[in-house]
Amino acid sequence: MPDVHGIIAYPVTPFAHDGINTERLAALVGRLVSSGVHAIAPLGSTGELAYLDEPEFDTVVDTTIATVAGRVPVIVGVSDVTTAKTVRRAQYAQRAGAHAVMILPVSYWKLSEREIVAHYRSVSDAISIPIMAYNNPATSGVDMPPELLVRMFDTIENVTMVKESTGDLTRMRRISELSGGRLPFYNGSNPLVLDALKAGASGWCTAAPCLRPQPCIDLYDAVRADDLDQAQARYDDLKPLLQFIVAGGLATTVKAGLELLGFPVGDPRPPLLPLDEDGRALLKQLLAR
C-alpha cells in the first residue's frame, strides 16, 4: 500500500471547447506537485467528475499520472451512480498507474448498507490497488456511519482508507476507536482540518492548495511537529478562504481564484456557473491576505 499522508491536493479540471484542456491540466498538476503537496487526487467533486464523459475521464487520468510521473501518489476519483461504470473507471485508473482509487457511493435511490457493501466489494474484486471509501452525504445522498466503514475495512480486501467529509469530528474518533487505530482516516471537511489533524487524521483532502499551497503544508507540518500554536496561526490565516471556497462551490470558487492569481483554467461546466462579481471581489480580498 502506498504511503498516503499529508496534503492531498484536488485539482480542478480545465475545459477546452472540445473537451479537456490537457496543457492547462498538466500545468496545474505540475504546480501542485512542485509546491510540495504529498499526493494528487484528480476527479473528485472539485474536478467536476460528475460532468465528464468516459473519454474525458480517461484523458484526465492519463494527463495527471503522466505529469506526476511517480513523484507522489495519485488517488483517482472513480465514483458513478452505477457499479459497472465505477468498476470500469477503477480498472482504467489502475492500468494507467494510479496508486489508489476513491469511491463515493452516489445514488438516486437511497442505498441500503447491503447495497453499499456489494458496490464496494464489486470494485474491490475487479482491481488490486487500494480503495479510499469516501463519505460525503451532502453530495452523494448516502451516509456511511463509522460502523459500516470499519466493517468494510475488515471484510473487503482493498478498502484500506476512509475520507470523512461530514464535518463531524466524533465520526473520525469513532472510526479510530472501532478499528483499534488500524483504519487510516483523512479529513475532507476544510473548516474542520485543524481539529481533524489533531485527532489523528492521516491527511487533509483539499482543493485549497490550488490557491494557497504553502500555508496548507505549513499547517500539516506544524501539527506533525506538535507545534500547536503555529498550527493555530496557519489555520486562522486559512480559515476565511476555506469557508468561502466550500460555501461557494469548490469548482466554481477555485477556478475563479486561479484566474485572479493569473493562472486561468476556464469556467466550470454547466449547470455550474462562474463565480459572480460580488464573489470575485471577496475572493480577491481573501487571496490578498
Side-chain angles (χ1 to χ4, degrees):
M1 175 177 169
D3 179 19
V4 178
H5 70 279
I7 304 302
I8 303 169
Y10 283 64
V12 296
T13 299
F15 295 117
H17 69 278
D18 57 350
I20 307 299
N21 187 332
T22 55
E23 181 179 347
R24 215 59 180 150
L25 175 60
L28 176 60
V29 171
R31 276 168 55 115
L32 287 168
V33 175
S34 297
S35 74
V37 300
H38 304 95
I40 299 292
L43 298 168
S45 52
T46 303
E48 299 178 73
L49 172 60
Y51 307 121
L52 304 186
D53 62 27
E54 295 309 280
E56 289 174 331
F57 171 92
D58 297 350
T59 296
V60 172
V61 171
D62 292 340
T63 302
T64 301
I65 290 175
T67 303
V68 172
R71 289 176 286 174
V72 296
V74 176
I75 306 164
V76 175
V78 299
S79 309
D80 187 70
V81 172
T82 68
T83 299
K85 192 178 288 186
T86 305
V87 167
R88 190 212 76 84
R89 290 174 171 181
Q91 290 176 325
Y92 189 91
Q94 177 173 312
R95 289 195 301 270
H99 297 82
V101 295
M102 183 179 68
I103 299 174
L104 179 76
V106 185
S107 178
Y108 177 82
W109 297 105
K110 183 177 181 179
L111 298 179
S112 68
E113 289 195 359
R114 183 170 66 94
E115 290 166 329
I116 294 169
V117 170
H119 181 65
Y120 277 92
R121 180 166 283 118
S122 294
V123 182
S124 178
D125 288 347
I127 61 174
S128 59
I129 58 176
I131 294 171
M132 176 183 282
Y134 177 18
N135 188 47
N136 190 352
T139 57
S140 70
V142 177
D143 190 8
M144 297 186 289
E147 291 77 9
L148 173 59
L149 291 165
V150 174
R151 177 155 57 91
M152 291 198 299
F153 169 67
D154 286 334
T155 60
I156 301 176
E157 181 178 3
N158 290 315
V159 175
T160 61
M161 305 173 272
V162 169
K163 176 185 173 184
E164 172 53 60
S165 297
T166 60
D168 183 351
L169 191 63
T170 63
R171 287 178 176 242
M172 298 184 189
R173 292 178 173 142
R174 183 66 173 156
I175 289 168
S176 182
E177 174 189 336
L178 289 170
S179 69
R182 296 175 299 121
L183 175 54
F185 63 90
Y186 300 78
N187 174 61
S189 172
N190 281 306
L192 189 68
V193 55
L194 179 56
D195 288 336
L197 290 174
K198 286 161 61 176
S202 296
W204 175 21
C205 303
T206 177
C210 291
L211 304 179
R212 297 194 65 197
Q214 195 59 52
C216 298
I217 296 167
D218 291 345
L219 170 56
Y220 174 75
D221 288 344
V223 175
R224 285 282 296 268
D226 202 30
D227 186 349
L228 298 186
D229 289 339
Q230 177 72 2
Q232 185 69 55
R234 294 283 70 77
Y235 175 71
D236 291 343
D237 175 43
L238 279 168
K239 183 179 178 180
L241 177 65
L242 299 179
Q243 292 175 325
F244 180 86
I245 63 175
V246 171
L250 292 170
T252 296
T253 55
V254 172
K255 284 187 169 181
L258 285 167
E259 183 178 0
L260 290 169
L261 292 172
F263 191 88
V265 291
D267 292 334
R269 180 166 280 180
L272 301 181
L273 293 174
L275 191 63
D276 62 27
E277 288 305 313
D278 289 343
R280 288 173 62 86
L282 179 53
L283 181 54
K284 186 176 183 179
Q285 294 175 17
L286 293 173
L287 292 174
R289 285 165 60 97

